[in-house]
Amino acid sequence: MTDSQNFSKTNYSYKPLTESTWDDFTLLFGERGASSGCWCMWWRTADKKEFENNKGNKNKETIRQLVLAGGVPGIIGYDKMKPIGWCSVAPREQFPGLDRTRRLQKIDDQPVWSIVCLFVDKTYRRSGVTELLLLSAIEHVKNNDGKIIEAYPADPKGETIAAFINAGFRSTYSRVGFQEVLRRGSRPIMRLQTN
């Protein structure tokens, strides 16, 4: 029996990634940084070459320094005490990589928080954890006085490039209240008002 078969949503909770939860983050991401040394730095890097040069331990150290400086780059989902999922959610200005992709450039001057990545432990996939992470991200943004959350999910009708799948699927965002506000090509930009 897998962990996900024993998983009960009543045992789910989340915590922001801080210095006190750093070890849980590294346990969840493993040696490879969840996705070939990314350590959830792809969208935090304005330059693709810089990202490529930093894959692996340099990316890990960069996000660690961000956390040690008091930054909160996202939230960790738990099954009881076990870290099982990650959602990268923060104010959009922390993700300069969004502007290097024409389709994801800013659509207005509203202050938004962005969800750019979701990662679920492979033994918990297809058990509802992604939706729980999104609901937790909404709560986290509300707790930090954010008013608008923006997301850039994959749409199975359009492109399914691996980096975009890491953002989750359009249907999951729709289920928790996000609405498509713009589409430049095959990829939607979705928003949710927190109030």
Side-chain angles (χ1 to χ4, degrees):
M1 187 173 282
T2 66
D3 291 333
S4 64
Q5 289 172 318
N6 291 322
F7 177 62
S8 168
K9 292 180 181 180
T10 59
N11 293 328
Y12 174 85
S13 64
Y14 81 94
K15 296 178 186 176
L17 173 55
T18 62
E19 195 172 349
S20 67
T21 56
W22 175 255
D23 289 343
D24 294 337
F25 178 67
T26 60
L27 178 65
L28 177 65
F29 271 38
E31 288 291 318
R32 298 193 58 201
S35 181
S36 301
C38 180
W39 289 98
C40 220
M41 289 299 299
W42 172 253
W43 296 112
R44 290 181 176 278
T45 309
D47 181 84
K48 288 181 184 180
K49 186 175 180 181
E50 177 188 350
F51 174 80
E52 289 297 326
N53 290 338
N54 289 339
K55 269 188 171 182
N57 286 333
K58 286 183 183 177
N59 275 341
K60 181 180 181 182
E61 185 57 24
T62 302
I63 198 163
R64 181 175 171 274
Q65 289 304 316
L66 188 154
V67 170
L68 291 175
V72 179
I75 59 170
I76 303 168
Y78 293 84
D79 178 9
K80 297 181 183 171
M81 302 294 287
K82 179 181 179 181
I84 61 169
W86 162 254
C87 177
S88 181
V89 56
R92 183 186 165 104
E93 55 268 19
Q94 294 184 25
F95 304 110
L98 291 171
D99 289 324
R100 71 174 177 249
T101 304
R102 185 193 64 76
R103 291 172 288 170
L104 302 181
Q105 290 176 351
K106 288 176 70 168
I107 60 175
D108 56 34
D109 291 329
Q110 299 268 12
V112 301
W113 285 58
S114 293
I115 295 174
V116 296
C117 186
L118 296 159
F119 177 76
V120 176
D121 179 293
K122 66 181 177 182
T123 62
Y124 283 83
R125 292 174 190 162
R126 300 177 187 259
S127 64
V129 172
T130 300
E131 195 167 312
L132 293 171
L133 283 167
L134 292 178
L135 292 170
S136 299
I138 294 166
E139 184 177 322
H140 174 71
V141 172
K142 283 182 182 178
N143 291 343
N144 287 279
D145 300 320
K147 304 296 182 209
I148 302 170
I149 309 172
E150 198 170 81
Y152 323 95
D155 189 343
K157 297 178 212 163
E159 65 192 340
T160 55
I161 297 169
F164 295 158
I165 293 173
N166 289 344
F169 289 105
R170 183 185 190 283
S171 58
T172 311
Y173 286 88
S174 293
R175 282 197 301 273
V176 298
F178 281 77
Q179 295 182 337
E180 185 172 328
V181 293
L182 183 68
R183 186 182 290 244
R184 298 176 181 127
S186 59
R187 190 135 185 237
I189 294 177
M190 301 183 78
R191 281 188 173 179
L192 180 139
Q193 298 275 344
T194 64
N195 52 0

